[in-house]
Amino acid sequence: MNNIILGRYLEGNSVIHRMDARAKLILSFYFILIVFLCNNWQTYTLLAVFTFFCVLCSRIDVKYFIKGVRPLIGLILITVLLQLFFTSGGHVYWHWGIFQLTSFGIINAVYIFCRILLIVFMSTLLTATTTPLEIADGLEALMRPLRKLKVPVDEIALMISIALRFVPTLMDETQKIINAQRSRGVNFGEGNIIKQAKMLIPILIPLFVNSIKRAEDLAVAMEARGYQGGLNRTRYRLQKWHTVDTVAIIIFGGLTLLLLGLRG
Amino acid sequence: MGIEFKNVSYEYQADTPFAQKALNNISLKIEDGSFTAIVGHTGSGKSTLIQHLNGLLKPTLGKVIINNQQITNETKNKQLAELRKQVGILFQFSESQLFEETVLKDIAFAPKNFGKSTTEAEQIAKKAAEVVGLQQDLLERSPFELSGGQMRRVALAGILAMNPQILVLDEPIIGLDPIGKREVMSIFQKLNQELGMTIIIVTHNMDDVAQYADQVIALEHGNLIAHQSTSEFFNHPQWLYQHHLGLPKVAEFAQRLIKLGMQFNQLPLTTEELTNVLKNKLQRGDINE
């Protein structure tokens, strides 16, 4: 469980680490949009170079990003294979039944592969350079306009930050319960599917019971400290927009124009 | 037989940016039938060490030998079932491992996993419940209806039901009331003295170490800094303070008496020892009002 790298924060002090979480969130979403603007090798090369540049800026080892792709490899392969064998059009190299290998298929498969890779790299970059709390604060700030539509933004933000805070705690606890049950003779990962599903009960029940207990305790502790709901609270962590953030947005604007120009 | 660590090192999440060394070249031997306390600062590697005792963690380097079975980096999980039967580990806040509908079923869970039939397992469970002092009428209740202290006993009974030769306890009495603490500790003492069970206990409470353990293992930043008999261990107060370990309350009190001019052949560690020494001194007229 500890081997999941995607979505974990890595301490650092690079330009990207210091950027405002709001800017990073907006730009990451925006990046996913502009990935879909790419439709030829020039545009893909441009974006790949740009992504690589961002990774370099963060001063995080590239190996780390490549490792982050590993858990997704199955998903990527399936998508790529589907594209490869089921796309029609262009020159047909080989076909057998419903499968066919066409020049369009190959090109599409390569494009899809690049797309997923670029998106995974960029999202890893976001989570690796931004603490979960910053992300929660950033999301809250970005959702604030929704208040006018009666969306309970403060409550959602509170839920997100509490959830994020308890992810590592729950992971630790899960590991502890797994260890305790293994010591009592449970062999996880053995036997058929039904047997394996049954083995989850000794983990899930304690985990749920403990979560409910923890939620009760937390609610009482919050009330005792005067928490009364979302509105009219002041905040301790203030977000600050830097010049870097504006520059980053301008760079992304320029990138979009270039992409639009290079599109075939 | 017994437990032996040979140059054991352990690293969490090896080969990632999060790699963390937890144990550093540890070599030690624990004899059968001993009562060993493991002490050390928070994060010194105590919990990592005890998870090596039944193969939950396998050493990154070196090997662990328990009852003639070797555990190295390459040991497969399948080979560890027998070992898990011999080594029972009671984890910190063990009440969070309960999950069955009734107390009895929960205690019987481990023996059933190790191949006992349901009726056999329930018989064993009833005996284990008796050992830890649970009333029979609690056995049909849900474990979640019980008090914290009772839940802890159920968890302990669940481990004892495996009938382990080696019992490993990670802060078993933390959060219990004083009476519960004493009762649980005396259960361990009884198991050790009457059944010859090897007991390894992780604790921060030096009073318990002094009163119950016959040897002490001290860890600091993943290094073994001491492995001595209890009396030897507490005989160097200066060294203990340097390593952020303390003395038992009685020994601290004795230290103050020493400062006032009293002399001891050996630093008394338990109330009994201290009162005996003082009584002797009074009889011999060494001290007067």
Side-chain angles (χ1 to χ4, degrees):
Chain A
M1 202 173 309
N2 284 322
N3 292 325
I4 300 169
I5 283 170
L6 195 75
R8 283 181 61 172
Y9 175 68
L10 271 181
E11 231 161 285
N13 190 23
S14 67
V15 187
I16 297 188
H17 278 90
R18 276 176 311 211
M19 269 174 70
D20 189 272
R22 287 167 294 179
K24 278 192 270 189
L25 277 169
I26 296 174
L27 292 178
S28 307
F29 288 130
Y30 185 67
F31 183 82
I32 294 172
L33 291 181
I34 57 174
V35 165
F36 290 95
L37 281 180
C38 297
N39 62 356
N40 55 22
W41 68 267
Q42 290 100 326
T43 41
Y44 273 112
T45 318
L46 176 66
L47 263 198
V49 169
F50 179 72
T51 310
F52 195 66
F53 168 72
C54 293
V55 170
L56 282 186
C57 280
S58 73
R59 298 214 204 124
I60 294 172
D61 201 343
V62 186
K63 264 190 246 155
Y64 173 83
F65 288 86
I66 294 166
K67 267 193 181 166
V69 177
R70 236 186 250 164
L72 298 173
I73 209 82
L75 186 75
I76 298 176
L77 271 182
I78 290 173
T79 328
V80 167
L81 288 179
L82 285 178
Q83 285 291 333
L84 201 57
F85 290 116
F86 291 104
T87 311
S88 53
H91 184 79
V92 180
Y93 295 110
W94 171 86
H95 83 108
W96 181 77
I98 50 166
F99 300 103
Q100 53 183 354
L101 199 61
T102 64
S103 55
F104 276 26
I106 294 172
I107 291 168
N108 262 342
V110 173
Y111 282 176
I112 285 278
F113 179 72
C114 293
R115 238 175 235 178
I116 298 177
L117 215 59
L118 290 177
I119 292 175
V120 171
F121 267 45
M122 240 358 168
S123 357
T124 311
L125 187 66
L126 169 74
T127 52
T129 59
T130 324
T131 61
L133 270 180
E134 281 176 334
I135 293 185
D137 283 350
L139 279 176
E140 183 188 0
L142 293 176
M143 282 192 303
R144 207 161 296 148
L146 293 178
R147 247 189 217 161
K148 294 208 176 80
L149 298 173
K150 301 255 157 95
V151 178
V153 172
D154 299 279
E155 276 76 10
I156 295 175
L158 181 75
M159 265 159 48
I160 294 175
S161 44
I162 290 178
L164 286 173
R165 156 68 187 77
F166 279 101
V167 167
T169 313
L170 282 179
M171 294 267 262
D172 280 355
E173 192 165 303
T174 313
Q175 192 58 52
K176 250 186 62 189
I177 295 172
I178 290 177
N179 280 344
Q181 309 298 24
R182 276 169 77 193
S183 299
R184 294 212 278 168
V186 183
N187 275 322
F188 294 105
E190 269 177 30
N192 57 30
I193 284 190
I194 296 170
K195 239 184 171 177
Q196 290 206 31
K198 270 190 179 163
M199 284 177 192
L200 288 178
I201 296 174
I203 300 174
L204 288 181
I205 291 182
L207 204 57
F208 284 143
V209 171
N210 292 345
S211 301
I212 292 168
K213 262 192 217 152
R214 184 162 280 140
E216 277 175 351
D217 290 350
L218 183 67
V220 169
M222 280 170 70
E223 251 183 68
R225 295 207 218 167
Y227 178 81
Q228 289 190 331
L231 280 176
N232 300 326
R233 293 175 65 207
T234 52
R235 47 188 62 246
Y236 173 66
R237 293 185 304 271
L238 294 177
Q239 289 161 313
K240 209 170 154 230
W241 192 269
H242 308 278
T243 336
V244 193
D245 303 310
T246 320
V247 172
I249 286 190
I250 294 170
I251 292 176
F252 265 77
L255 184 73
T256 319
L257 290 180
L258 261 175
L259 279 178
L260 286 173
L262 285 172
R263 250 167 81 93
Chain B
M1 300 299 262
I3 298 165
E4 197 177 348
F5 277 58
K6 277 190 179 159
N7 306 94
V8 171
S9 294
Y10 186 80
E11 199 173 11
Y12 281 103
Q13 303 184 51
D15 301 325
T16 70
F18 310 102
Q20 235 179 347
K21 232 175 175 181
L23 290 181
N24 201 359
N25 202 17
I26 301 246
S27 296
L28 55 86
K29 240 181 180 170
I30 297 173
E31 301 293 330
D32 273 333
S34 61
F35 197 127
T36 307
I38 303 181
V39 298
H41 231 229
T42 322
S44 57
K46 306 182 296 282
S47 296
T48 310
L49 182 78
I50 61 168
Q51 286 181 47
H52 280 81
L53 295 173
N54 74 353
L56 288 175
L57 296 178
K58 291 164 207 153
T60 315
L61 288 173
K63 58 184 164 186
V64 178
I65 305 163
I66 297 164
N67 288 350
N68 298 328
Q69 189 176 350
Q70 259 192 35
I71 308 171
T72 63
N73 209 352
E74 277 130 39
T75 310
K76 298 256 162 25
N77 272 329
K78 272 201 176 148
Q79 302 166 310
L80 293 171
E82 185 56 33
L83 183 69
R84 299 237 163 97
K85 227 189 306 185
Q86 295 164 5
V87 183
I89 300 192
L90 187 72
F91 285 91
Q92 241 174 67
F93 296 108
S94 44
E95 56 271 27
S96 67
Q97 73 187 33
L98 308 178
F99 71 99
E100 279 280 17
E101 293 155 55
T102 66
V103 169
L104 188 69
K105 276 191 188 170
D106 204 285
I107 302 176
F109 179 65
K112 253 168 45 186
N113 281 331
F114 289 121
K116 293 273 192 290
S117 73
T118 312
T119 36
E120 262 181 305
E122 288 189 352
Q123 235 143 34
I124 296 171
K126 274 181 192 154
K127 253 185 231 155
E130 223 174 274
V131 174
V132 301
L134 279 171
Q135 286 111 351
Q136 294 290 314
D137 59 308
L138 288 181
L139 294 182
E140 291 307 317
R141 297 260 292 274
S142 157
F144 299 111
E145 290 171 13
L146 307 181
S147 73
Q150 286 170 326
M151 282 167 89
R152 191 73 63 86
R153 279 162 202 250
V154 175
L156 174 61
I159 301 295
L160 291 180
M162 294 156 50
N163 194 20
Q165 296 163 22
I166 299 168
L167 182 62
V168 183
L169 310 153
D170 193 352
E171 308 211 31
I173 54 167
I174 200 168
L176 291 183
D177 59 272
I179 296 171
K181 277 182 188 175
R182 217 173 314 135
E183 281 174 4
V184 172
M185 284 308 292
S186 57
I187 293 172
F188 301 144
Q189 194 172 31
K190 225 168 82 187
L191 290 169
N192 177 246
Q193 285 170 356
E194 289 173 16
L195 301 176
M197 207 179 265
T198 310
I199 298 214
I200 296 167
I201 185 169
V202 172
T203 177
H204 286 288
N205 188 333
M206 294 301 167
D207 296 338
D208 290 336
V209 174
Q211 187 159 8
Y212 299 101
D214 46 48
Q215 44 175 319
V216 186
I217 290 172
L219 294 177
E220 190 179 61
H221 305 306
N223 295 307
L224 182 75
I225 53 169
H227 184 188
Q228 292 164 317
S229 74
T230 310
S231 51
E232 239 177 298
F233 179 75
F234 286 120
N235 227 347
H236 314 283
Q238 216 49 48
W239 183 88
L240 288 173
Y241 291 130
Q242 262 170 32
H243 291 275
H244 303 283
L245 301 161
L247 280 174
K249 281 197 200 87
V250 174
E252 251 169 38
F253 181 67
Q255 288 269 320
R256 274 160 68 188
L257 291 177
I258 291 172
K259 263 190 199 146
L260 292 173
M262 190 174 283
Q263 281 179 358
F264 295 101
N265 296 333
Q266 175 127 43
L267 199 62
L269 297 176
T270 59
T271 330
E272 245 181 1
E273 277 174 41
L274 181 66
T275 40
N276 278 339
V277 175
L278 290 181
K279 243 197 269 170
N280 280 335
K281 285 191 191 261
L282 270 173
Q283 275 163 4
R284 274 185 283 145
D286 284 358
I287 36 175
N288 33 34
E289 305 292 315

